Amino acid sequence: MSSASTSRKLAASLSVATAAFVVAVPIAASSTTAASAAEITSIADIQGTSDTSPLVNKTVTTSGQVTAVYAEGGLRGYTIQTAGTGGENDPTPGISDGLFIYSPDTVGSVHIGDYVEVTGTISEYHGLTQMTVAQGKIRQVPTRIIPVQPYKGAFPDTSAGREELESMLLQPTGNITVTDNFNTNRYGEIKLTSGTTPLRTATDVVAPGEAAKAYEAANAEKDFIVDDGATVDYTRGGKDIPLPYLSEQNPVRVGSAVTFTQPTVLLYSFDEWRLNPTEPITGASNPATIPATFTNTRTAAPEKVGGDYTIASFNVLNYFSTTGDELTGCTFYTDRAKNPITVNSGCDARGAANDENLKRQQDKIVAAINTMNTSILSLEEIENSAAFGKNRDEALNTLVAALNDDAGFERWKAVPSPEALPGQEDVIRTAFIYQDDQVQPQGDSEILLDSDAFNNARKPLAQTFEPVGSKVKGDEFVAIVNHFKSKGSGSGVNADQGDGQGASNADRKKQAQALVAFADQEKKENKTDNVVLLGDFNSYSKEDPMKILADAGYINIGDQFDAGYSYVYSGRQGSLDHVLASPSMFKQVTGADVWNINSVESIAFEYSRYNYNATNFYQPNAYRSSDHDPKVVGFNLRADAPISFTDVPGNSPFYSEIMWLAQSGITQGWDDGTFRPHDNISRGAMAAFFYRMAGEPEYNAPAQSKFSDVSTTHPFYKEISWMAEQGITTGWADGTFRPEAPVERAAMAAFFYRVAGSPHYVAPRSAEFSDVQPGGAFYKEISWMHSKGISTGWDDGTYRPADPIKRDAMAAFIYRYEHNVAGKK
């Protein structure tokens, strides 16, 4: 199968054999009879110039070098490629020179490197051009050939480009990233995409509807699979075969960078383009035969989010202390020894089958929560023990006891259920736990009771908290945990509308509206404007329910702080889990992070897959303790000194960057509560900014100033001296620093370049800005700034190097530097 598209362009730097290099191919002994001396049809003629071979249902003879053999594992065939093709040599531009030979009769008689003549019938098998070869229709030809070389270059992003390489040997280069590993546990396949980031869920990026459809259509062209060269199901008939690719040391996470170290063959099956190793692999294969390596991106703990306090949301994936063996009617998922592991159906329990498996699940959840060590934690998908005739808080208290036992002291407490409860509830619920040496609940918790919006979901649970020992009115805040209706079912107005939001979106919109009203009620009752909404909203960031909350004034903290994404579904990464803050509460937020311990991990590491495969992947650690990732937020509670500026309203062009600058401690503004965004920033203030960006390192300024115009009593003497000693500034030739002078845009580029350590960088020969020419002052530094996305210049193509920097623009430059270069969130 091929395409009449533009011929592929191969990089000139590829390492291949020269066209004149000829070798003798070793010939394996063959018991097959010779094919008749028919006219040879080239593989390119078989593939043709469309996505269907022009020779379908025709019997032809062709020849080529064997590049891959799949004698075991279910593919029952091999690939051949026209001798001398691949690498830089492309005698048939736009047409594939490879062919899959389906031949259970002859696959056992060929070896990689053989040169063969085969006769068979051409067909299209679910999109793959193949030849079916019967016993006696193969001849191994002793000849001297130019061997096949793998194509090395970027993997094509289009189906047309991929069809040009169908069944050919290739070893992709460039940036490639894991975008899905859901089927790694079952079929030994890993979904990839070109670039450095996984594919995103459309409605986490763009609005639902036509924009989302277009975004996903573009996504669908980008992914491809690295496979195992087999059709084995490792969770069923292949349970006793060690699963390939995965291990505790090599978890193959979504977001992992991929490097191909061995050639593969590109095949098409099950509606996917697949890079197969040249022979089937398993977890017991020689590591040298594994075609790719993957970076291990696991982190031991969430990133620091600052603040005196932290709050987090964690969906604990059906944590049930009532196990299936306690109930009548439960059926179970079993391991390969037929031992029950988790509840399948037949009863209301949804978690572990027995105490042994509950402990496995609990150990992972405990490891995750105690490592997060947050002041307050909301929980979703924890058992509502009242559904089993027990105290409603039994499962919650069981988890808290396990957390404290692991910690070795009474670290955690649970917020008790309120007296007023819904008449009917789901078997799963939400809850709060907290550390009582940091915060204390004020009053009782409260569940939203007077709304029908949540009849098919978990009703919101509110609790007011304040810091331990607080004597300042206004430090209290209301936290409301949520778990909206899922996307999996719905009819009528709740049917999937095809706009990217899934089923039951109409109900989730009603739930968002009811939540806003509930939060307003809680604000009034508790006499505070400080509110945090958190939990599993089952809505991506750009969907209707999140817009309703945003229109009500709630700020998505994860989006504002670029915290990361909490969920992976169908090879797309996004966030269903959110932490939002009212404007007054947001002013006190210091940072946020999604700790990717679950969604990006293979399900093989989950307790529910214990002993499913010959390789037992279970470990009592935090990784794959759930299917959602926890989202952690840092904040301060200083009602007497909130972070806000009277002259920076929420609709200011650089509002988020200025607030981030303040929350990061880089600026405090003026005593009158202003930031003065349109003022020029002085060189002295710039020194202070850089010093704070560096974390205010210990530094003793010299007794004598280096600069004639900066006295030792200058407000920024220490920072200016530090900046000079770090080589960030040299001052002026006359020995001055000119601390009150504005920072010009050209000098600003030089400062950032030096702060970054003056990295090796070759500036482009052609100017990127019409007013900054090669060889001019700070040309290299300005070009580097542009390459890092710190400055984009003006719409008219100028940089304006002599213009002074305004304080709001400097906030944007620092924000971009810290995120794009320093790698902070």
Side-chain angles (χ1 to χ4, degrees):
M1 181 169 62
S2 190
S3 167
S5 63
T6 304
S7 64
R8 59 187 179 273
K9 297 178 181 179
L10 306 180
S13 60
L14 304 183
S15 173
V16 296
T18 64
F21 184 60
V22 179
V23 298
V25 178
I27 304 301
S30 174
S31 59
T32 59
T33 59
S36 60
E39 179 183 352
I40 298 295
T41 301
S42 73
I43 292 175
D45 285 342
I46 293 171
Q47 288 283 8
T49 58
S50 74
D51 60 3
T52 302
S53 170
L55 300 178
V56 167
N57 297 326
K58 304 289 185 183
T59 299
V60 298
T61 299
T62 193
S63 61
Q65 185 177 8
V66 177
T67 55
V69 177
Y70 306 107
E72 299 177 348
L75 293 184
R76 299 189 293 177
Y78 46 98
T79 54
I80 63 174
Q81 186 170 331
T82 302
T85 61
E88 292 180 323
N89 186 24
D90 188 10
T92 57
I95 303 175
S96 170
D97 294 304
L99 182 65
F100 182 76
I101 308 299
Y102 177 72
S103 183
D105 292 344
T106 68
V107 65
S109 68
V110 297
H111 303 84
I112 292 173
D114 288 354
Y115 187 77
V116 297
E117 252 181 36
V118 287
T119 300
T121 303
I122 304 303
S123 63
E124 293 288 336
Y125 185 76
H126 297 290
L128 176 70
T129 301
Q130 67 177 27
M131 173 187 281
T132 300
V133 174
Q135 184 73 32
K137 298 299 183 179
I138 181 173
R139 183 168 71 95
Q140 298 192 18
V141 183
T143 187
R144 296 168 67 84
I145 62 167
I146 300 173
V148 168
Q149 293 291 330
Y151 159 71
K152 291 186 178 181
F155 189 74
D157 268 347
T158 65
S159 293
R162 295 172 185 183
E163 289 187 15
E164 295 176 14
L165 297 170
E166 184 188 84
S167 298
M168 291 179 64
L169 202 65
L170 68 156
Q171 187 172 338
T173 60
N175 293 322
I176 301 174
T177 300
V178 175
T179 197
D180 196 22
N181 55 16
F182 183 78
N183 278 330
T184 307
N185 170 69
R186 185 169 184 183
Y187 296 118
E189 62 185 39
I190 304 164
K191 190 165 286 190
L192 312 177
T193 188
S194 295
T196 58
T197 57
L199 298 176
R200 293 282 305 282
T201 302
T203 51
D204 210 49
V205 182
V206 298
E210 293 307 314
K213 291 177 185 177
Y215 189 94
E216 177 51 34
N219 269 349
E221 291 288 315
K222 295 176 182 177
D223 57 25
F224 55 99
I225 285 171
V226 59
D227 214 334
D228 60 351
T231 59
V232 175
D233 184 338
Y234 296 94
T235 65
R236 292 186 174 144
K239 285 185 176 183
D240 293 327
I241 302 172
L243 187 68
Y245 294 116
L246 284 179
S247 69
E248 185 69 17
Q249 296 72 36
N250 189 34
V252 190
R253 291 157 45 98
V254 172
S256 294
V258 185
T259 302
F260 279 88
T261 56
Q262 299 292 332
T264 61
V265 168
L266 180 61
L267 300 177
Y268 188 84
S269 62
F270 296 100
D271 300 317
E272 298 278 4
W273 288 101
R274 299 169 185 270
L275 293 167
N276 278 277
T278 56
E279 60 184 4
I281 60 170
T282 71
S285 296
N286 183 336
T289 66
I290 308 300
T293 61
F294 308 84
T295 59
N296 185 346
T297 61
R298 282 180 174 176
T299 56
E303 290 191 10
K304 299 295 184 184
V305 293
D308 298 328
Y309 308 94
T310 51
I311 189 168
S313 168
F314 191 17
N315 181 317
V316 291
L317 186 59
N318 292 318
Y319 173 82
F320 274 59
S321 61
T322 301
T323 54
D325 60 355
E326 297 179 42
L327 305 173
T328 301
C330 291
T331 62
F332 302 100
Y333 293 107
T334 60
D335 68 5
R336 63 196 185 103
K338 304 302 181 185
N339 298 311
I341 302 296
T342 59
V343 174
N344 180 355
S345 61
C347 62
D348 285 336
R350 298 182 183 178
N354 48 38
D355 285 345
E356 184 179 13
N357 285 288
L358 173 60
K359 185 176 188 309
R360 292 185 185 122
Q361 180 188 24
Q362 186 171 274
D363 284 350
K364 295 184 82 68
I365 294 171
V366 165
I369 293 175
N370 274 344
T371 300
M372 281 191 286
N373 193 26
T374 56
S375 307
I376 302 166
L377 180 66
S378 76
L379 302 171
E380 302 87 51
E381 286 197 22
I382 191 167
E383 172 190 291
N384 173 17
S385 300
F388 302 101
K390 304 174 182 180
N391 182 295
R392 187 175 185 271
D393 294 339
E394 181 174 296
L396 177 62
N397 292 333
T398 299
L399 178 57
V400 167
L403 288 164
N404 290 336
D405 183 63
D406 177 72
F409 65 99
E410 296 297 307
R411 168 183 279 178
W412 296 95
K413 286 191 175 180
V415 170
S417 292
E419 289 187 11
L421 296 171
Q424 292 184 329
E425 288 191 272
D426 198 350
V427 295
I428 55 172
R429 55 168 286 200
T430 58
F432 283 112
I433 63 175
Y434 64 97
Q435 298 193 48
D436 68 351
D437 62 339
Q438 299 181 41
V439 296
Q440 287 285 356
Q442 297 301 298
D444 296 331
S445 62
E446 186 175 357
I447 296 176
L448 172 60
L449 299 175
D450 59 351
S451 172
D452 295 332
F454 288 90
N455 285 346
N456 61 355
R458 283 60 51 183
K459 297 178 185 293
L461 170 69
Q463 177 65 61
T464 302
F465 291 94
E466 73 174 13
V468 170
S470 173
K471 298 187 183 337
V472 179
K473 179 58 182 172
D475 267 357
E476 68 278 351
F477 68 97
V478 178
I480 306 178
V481 56
N482 303 272
H483 191 181
F484 284 13
K485 175 69 175 76
S486 69
K487 295 174 175 287
S489 62
S491 59
V493 296
N494 276 311
D496 189 335
Q497 304 299 306
D499 60 357
Q501 300 187 90
S504 292
N505 187 57
D507 278 355
R508 285 192 297 277
K509 289 165 63 177
K510 292 178 182 178
Q511 288 160 12
Q513 292 161 348
L515 173 59
V516 170
F518 183 47
D520 287 344
Q521 173 188 318
E522 289 294 311
K523 285 193 228 179
K524 184 177 180 180
E525 290 179 357
N526 292 279
K527 297 181 174 60
T528 181
D529 288 327
N530 294 335
V531 177
V532 176
L533 311 177
L534 69 169
D536 178 359
F537 292 83
N538 272 311
S539 302
Y540 290 106
S541 299
K542 304 299 182 184
E543 293 184 0
D544 295 337
M546 305 311 297
K547 185 177 186 301
I548 290 169
L549 297 176
D551 288 345
Y554 290 95
I555 300 168
N556 192 318
I557 297 171
D559 288 351
Q560 292 296 317
F561 285 87
D562 194 20
Y565 314 106
S566 69
Y567 197 66
V568 174
Y569 180 74
S570 194
R572 309 291 185 258
Q573 190 175 43
S575 286
L576 297 174
D577 311 88
H578 306 280
V579 183
L580 303 99
S582 62
S584 63
M585 190 69 187
F586 181 74
K587 291 176 182 179
Q588 303 179 81
V589 173
T590 56
D593 183 50
V594 173
W595 189 22
N596 290 130
I597 53 174
N598 297 323
S599 70
V600 301
E601 294 272 345
S602 169
I603 198 172
F605 297 106
E606 200 172 283
Y607 92 96
S608 64
R609 298 307 190 269
Y610 181 85
N611 196 32
Y612 259 54
N613 182 256
T615 303
N616 187 15
F617 296 97
Y618 176 83
Q619 294 291 327
N621 57 27
Y623 306 106
R624 198 66 192 192
S625 49
S626 177
D627 56 345
H628 293 243
D629 293 316
K631 183 166 285 187
V632 184
V633 170
F635 61 98
N636 293 311
L637 289 172
R638 296 192 298 265
D640 55 339
I643 300 175
S644 64
F645 301 111
T646 59
D647 57 350
V648 184
N651 60 356
S652 297
F654 297 115
Y655 173 80
S656 296
E657 291 87 344
I658 293 169
M659 295 310 301
W660 175 87
L661 201 72
Q663 290 148 5
S664 300
I666 297 173
T667 185
Q668 291 88 37
W670 270 265
D671 291 340
D672 64 0
T674 62
F675 179 74
R676 307 180 190 178
H678 305 303
D679 283 6
N680 295 335
I681 187 165
S682 70
R683 289 168 56 85
M686 190 70 245
F689 282 4
F690 281 130
Y691 180 73
R692 294 167 192 160
M693 284 168 58
E696 298 184 81
E698 287 189 16
Y699 171 72
N700 293 319
Q704 184 173 350
S705 176
K706 176 178 179 176
F707 302 109
S708 61
D709 59 344
V710 182
S711 70
T712 57
T713 60
H714 190 282
F716 297 133
Y717 173 66
K718 177 180 179 179
E719 292 87 344
I720 293 168
S721 298
W722 172 86
M723 191 174 170
E725 285 198 13
Q726 294 296 312
I728 300 170
T729 183
T730 57
W732 298 84
D734 63 0
T736 61
F737 179 76
R738 306 180 191 177
E740 310 309 322
V743 179
E744 294 181 352
R745 289 171 59 85
M748 180 267 298
F751 288 156
F752 274 109
Y753 180 76
R754 295 167 192 160
V755 166
S758 299
H760 175 71
Y761 173 74
V762 178
R765 294 180 180 179
S766 300
E768 294 164 299
F769 301 108
S770 60
D771 56 348
V772 181
Q773 296 302 314
F778 301 124
Y779 174 75
K780 176 179 179 180
E781 291 85 348
I782 292 169
S783 297
W784 174 84
M785 278 267 292
H786 181 255
S787 74
K788 296 298 181 183
I790 301 171
S791 176
T792 57
W794 299 85
D795 292 342
D796 63 0
T798 62
Y799 181 79
R800 307 181 189 177
D803 280 7
I805 299 289
K806 305 296 183 185
R807 287 172 56 83
D808 60 352
M810 182 56 75
F813 291 147
I814 293 174
Y815 178 88
R816 295 168 193 162
Y817 172 85
E818 293 282 48
H819 286 67
N820 298 353
V821 179
K824 295 182 180 178
K825 289 186 177 180

